[in-house]
């Protein structure tokens, strides 16, 4: 297979012919080659996006634009199987996960943000003036212009469309730089855009890496008006520096080291099930995933034993294996990083409750990026494994004795993306939720997402909020018009 850039409505190879390999994380076999954008390719994409702003897209009435985006959502659903196969091949994730989360949400992102925009009122204020006639103020939103979308590999279509949906709904044009690990669904979306009649240049894709490659060329391009990024905090810092030139707007969704707080008064069945999902779904590669679990002492032993038992029931296997609910990590490189933390945990004095190594997957899959789901206990609060984001299928469990202690432990981190609180006491639920220094809190649930709500992180987990009307704030320029009557 060959994954080309999608520029101005056409699939094109790099001007200099450069490519890189794309490998299947299940067995490290070659999926295909991907064009690697040079500065000239990125320039062509950005200029196409700029040009499209003054073409039919720029003239289109909001209702027409919204109708087109609804068509895009429908077309993703019609080509569901192709998107599903592409996403599973790139990431190795079980079909059962991608078919319930990644692809439906990839389509829903186009509908939800169109609806939000269509139903969002603009503000208006009548002002008294000394002559008694008054003045009318009203808010008018226009697109920001060309938006650079830099996305990661863990939920490729979902996280990319979470940004492309509102960007296009607001009338912008986009240049997307998907992760080098997962080029397929962003490319396939180019076909869908053409099939739906989205004008050329509105949606562009350039492939490549970060530094001195497509990511850097895109974020430093002077015609980019805003940059929306999802990925690691350290990458976010680099992109912020690039955005500071020309004072371009940024939206940053970055890393996390998210806590779960399990109180003795919770429904333990639900807490175990929810923590299982939050720590291990998608092989732990979810920014909202739980890596630190704090359990009130009376239920600590039982919780650890039950989570261990459930983890040991996970079935590792290929995406198409219907029994499998646990795939490989995204790449051998990421496996190396996660495995280094497994070794570090032991050096730092952890008790390995389960897992901790690389599983034997048999001759056909042993060259893939497999890793065991892992639970630790007994680490000190300042251990690196407790403080640094691992982004793998692992968590550390620690007991606590009081609500105050649990809150202090949960907040003792540089990150602030989300927290999960498990308690049947509603007063405690509100108290603890409001004390969490994060952008999102779930009480007695996890990753229960309503697209109309704000999404984003506190502290080093990000800057700004997207989702619902909050996305409109970032993706449009609000102008106040004052009319003297
Ligand atoms: P990453 O930061 O390595 O890469 C993300 C994207 O940035 C990729 O497309 C990459 O090519 C690009 N990039 C890298 N360096 C760049 C540079 N110098 N200039 C421009 N672009 C550059 O992240 P990843 O490994 O793909 O994803 C995992 C990380 O993403 C984790 O830290 C995870 O927590 C985070 N994440 C956060 C959220 C969220 O919503 N907060 C969601 C998913 C993932
Ligand atoms: O559900 C969402 O809207 C969202 N942005 C999820 C992010 C998951 C991170 O891996």
């Amino acid at each position: 297979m060959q994954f080309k850039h999608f520029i101005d409505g056409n699939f094109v190879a790099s001007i200099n012919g450069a490519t890189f390999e794309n490998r299947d994380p299940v067995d490290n076999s070659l999926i295909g080659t991907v064009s690697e954008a040079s500065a000239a390719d990125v320039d062509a994409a950005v200029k196409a996006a700029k040009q499209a702003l003054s073409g039919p897209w720029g003239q289109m009435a909001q209702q027409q634009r919204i109708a087109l985006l609804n068509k895009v959502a429908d077309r993703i659903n019609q080509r569901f199987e192709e998107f599903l196969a592409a996403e599973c091949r790139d990431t190795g994730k079980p079909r059962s996960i991608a078919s319930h989360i990644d692809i439906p949400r990839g389509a829903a992102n186009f509908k939800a943000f169109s609806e939000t925009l269509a139903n969002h009122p603009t503000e208006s204020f009548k002002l008294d003036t000394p002559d008694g006639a008054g003045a009318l103020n009203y808010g008018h939103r226009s697109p920001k212009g060309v938006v650079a979308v830099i996305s990661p590999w863990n939920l490729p279509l979902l996280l990319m469309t979470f940004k492309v949906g509102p960007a296009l709904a607001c009338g912008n044009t986009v240049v997307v730089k998907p992760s080098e690990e997962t080029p397929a669904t962003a490319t396939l979306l180019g076909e869908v855009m053409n099939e739906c009649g989205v004008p050329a240049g509105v949606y562009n894709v350039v492939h490549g890496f970060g530094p001195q490659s497509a990511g850097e060329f895109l974020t430093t391009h002077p015609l980019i008006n805003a940059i929306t990024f999802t990925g690691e905090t350290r990458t976010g810092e680099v992109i912020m520096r690039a955005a500071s030139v020309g004072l371009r707007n940024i939206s940053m969704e970055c890393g996390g080291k998210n806590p779960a707080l399990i109180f003795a008064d919770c429904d333990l069945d639900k807490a175990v099930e929810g923590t299982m999902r939050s720590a291990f779904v998608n092989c732990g590669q979810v920014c909202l995933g739980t890596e630190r679990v704090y359990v009130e002492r009376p239920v600590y032993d039982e919780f650890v034993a039950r989570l261990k038992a459930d983890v040991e029931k996970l079935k590792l296997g290929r995406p198409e294996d219907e029994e499998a609910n646990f795939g490989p990590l995204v790449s051998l490189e990421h496996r190396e990083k996660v495995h280094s933390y497994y070794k570090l945990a032991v050096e730092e004095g952890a008790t390995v409750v389960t897992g901790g190594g690389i599983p034997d997957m048999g001759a056909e899959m042993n060259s893939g990026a497999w890793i065991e789901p892992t639970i630790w206990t007994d680490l000190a609060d300042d251990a690196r494994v407790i403080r640094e984001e691992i982004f793998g299928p692992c968590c550390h469990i620690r007991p606590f004795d009081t609500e105050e202690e649990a809150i202090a432990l949960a907040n003792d981190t540089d990150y602030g993306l989300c927290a999960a609180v498990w308690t049947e006491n509603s007063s405690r639920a509100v108290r603890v939720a409001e004390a969490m220094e994060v952008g999102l809190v779930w009480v007695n649930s996890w990753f229960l997402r309503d697209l109309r709500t704000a999404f984003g992180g506190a502290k080093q987990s990000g800057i700004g909020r997207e989702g619902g009307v909050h996305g409109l704030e970032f993706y449009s320029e609000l102008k106040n018009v004052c009319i003297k009557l």
Side-chain angles (χ1 to χ4, degrees):
M1 294 180 104
Q2 259 200 309
F3 300 98
K4 294 184 176 168
H5 314 299
F6 183 68
I7 299 176
D8 209 13
N10 298 305
F11 289 95
V12 291
S14 299
I15 294 165
N16 64 8
T19 60
F20 61 95
E21 289 182 343
N22 179 25
R23 292 194 170 267
D24 186 336
V26 167
D27 53 12
N28 203 35
S29 60
L30 189 66
I31 296 174
T33 57
V34 189
S35 294
E36 184 184 356
S38 63
D41 298 303
V42 171
D43 185 53
V46 176
K47 285 187 174 148
K50 178 86 183 163
Q51 181 74 28
L53 286 168
S54 50
W57 181 251
Q59 261 85 75
M60 209 174 269
Q62 181 178 292
Q63 280 313 318
Q64 250 180 305
R65 226 168 40 222
I66 286 173
L68 261 187
L69 297 179
N70 279 318
K71 214 166 148 188
V72 169
D74 292 340
R75 191 67 188 136
I76 294 174
N77 283 327
Q78 283 158 9
R79 297 186 65 177
F80 194 93
E81 273 304 316
E82 287 167 83
F83 275 95
L84 182 58
E87 204 73 304
C88 291
R89 201 164 43 231
D90 266 357
T91 58
K93 65 178 77 184
R95 281 174 63 90
S96 53
I97 293 175
S99 61
H100 281 98
I101 301 175
D102 301 62
I103 312 305
R105 264 293 302 282
N109 280 334
F110 284 101
K111 290 217 160 143
F113 291 113
S114 299
E115 275 161 28
T116 302
L117 181 71
N119 295 312
H120 188 55
T122 53
E123 63 186 19
S124 71
F125 299 101
K126 180 91 182 295
L127 176 74
D128 290 336
T129 55
D131 65 4
L136 181 66
N137 290 282
Y138 74 92
H140 172 79
R141 286 186 184 278
S142 43
K144 278 266 164 66
V146 182
V147 178
V149 177
I150 312 277
S151 51
W153 44 257
N154 60 321
L155 299 162
L157 182 71
L158 185 158
L159 289 173
M160 189 258 289
T161 54
F162 184 63
K163 292 168 178 302
V164 171
L168 298 190
C170 290
N172 300 284
T173 58
V174 296
V175 181
V176 174
K177 210 294 282 165
S179 167
E180 52 274 28
E181 305 289 354
T182 52
T185 46
T187 312
L188 198 49
L189 189 58
E191 286 183 24
V192 166
M193 293 288 174
N194 280 350
E195 287 165 356
C196 294
V198 174
V202 169
Y203 172 80
N204 304 275
V205 180
V206 288
H207 294 294
F209 302 85
Q212 291 167 19
S213 183
E216 182 178 322
F217 302 146
L218 183 58
T219 50
T220 55
H221 197 292
L223 293 181
I224 290 294
N225 301 107
I227 305 172
T228 176
F229 167 73
T230 304
E232 282 190 22
T233 299
R234 298 288 86 83
T235 314
E237 290 174 350
V238 175
I239 291 177
M240 271 183 83
R241 281 195 282 276
S244 72
V245 178
L247 227 62
R248 275 93 50 79
N249 235 232
I250 49 163
S251 172
M252 298 267 144
E253 292 174 358
C254 299
K257 189 74 184 175
N258 310 307
L261 285 71
I262 320 282
F263 288 92
D265 59 14
C266 74
D267 178 327
L268 203 59
D269 291 346
K270 290 183 184 155
V272 171
E273 188 274 333
T275 308
M276 261 307 282
R277 277 191 298 117
S278 71
F280 299 103
V281 76
N282 209 37
C283 203
Q285 304 164 119
V286 181
C287 61
L288 306 163
T290 300
E291 290 193 6
R292 298 179 294 137
V293 185
Y294 300 107
V295 185
E296 200 167 0
R297 205 171 297 273
V299 292
Y300 176 79
D301 288 339
E302 185 182 353
F303 182 90
V304 174
R306 288 180 62 177
L307 199 70
K308 170 182 180 337
D310 282 358
V311 165
E312 289 173 355
K313 285 186 214 138
L314 284 169
K315 168 95 169 52
L316 282 61
R318 290 180 179 278
E320 56 279 10
D321 177 347
E322 282 179 11
E323 312 241 295
N325 51 11
F326 191 88
L329 290 166
V330 74
S331 64
L332 289 174
E333 187 189 353
H334 189 52
R335 203 259 305 263
E336 186 53 41
K337 175 187 158 186
V338 174
H339 195 216
S340 74
Y341 277 104
Y342 282 19
K343 291 185 260 190
L344 178 64
V346 174
E347 286 162 27
E348 290 188 311
T351 300
V352 182
V353 175
T354 188
I358 292 175
D360 182 359
M361 298 299 295
E364 283 191 359
M365 289 192 279
N366 267 346
S367 42
W370 299 91
I371 193 118
E372 287 177 347
T374 294
I375 300 175
W376 303 288
T377 55
D378 302 321
L379 279 169
D381 297 324
D382 62 355
R384 280 183 54 205
V385 167
I386 299 291
R387 309 208 72 82
E388 296 173 16
E389 181 188 46
I390 301 172
F391 217 55
C394 50
C395 64
H396 177 262
I397 316 181
R398 179 209 197 279
F400 68 84
D401 293 299
T402 65
E403 187 179 302
E404 293 69 30
E405 185 191 9
I407 291 170
L409 286 167
N411 286 338
D412 182 19
T413 171
D414 292 335
Y415 292 104
L417 187 54
C418 71
V421 180
W422 298 87
T423 174
E424 292 294 303
N425 176 333
S426 53
S427 302
R428 163 173 281 156
V430 171
R431 226 170 26 237
V432 176
E434 293 186 1
M436 292 293 98
E437 296 167 358
V438 296
L440 303 113
V441 182
W442 280 283
V443 176
N444 297 331
S445 64
W446 176 76
F447 208 159
L448 188 56
R449 286 269 303 130
D450 181 328
L451 285 171
R452 293 168 299 184
T453 63
F455 183 90
K459 293 152 88 173
Q460 292 190 23
S461 289
I463 296 181
R465 295 289 180 273
E466 297 200 31
V469 294
H470 310 284
L472 303 185
E473 289 301 328
F474 174 73
Y475 291 107
S476 65
E477 201 68 62
L478 180 59
K479 175 166 41 201
N480 185 66
V481 180
C482 177
I483 305 171
K484 173 75 178 67
L485 301 172

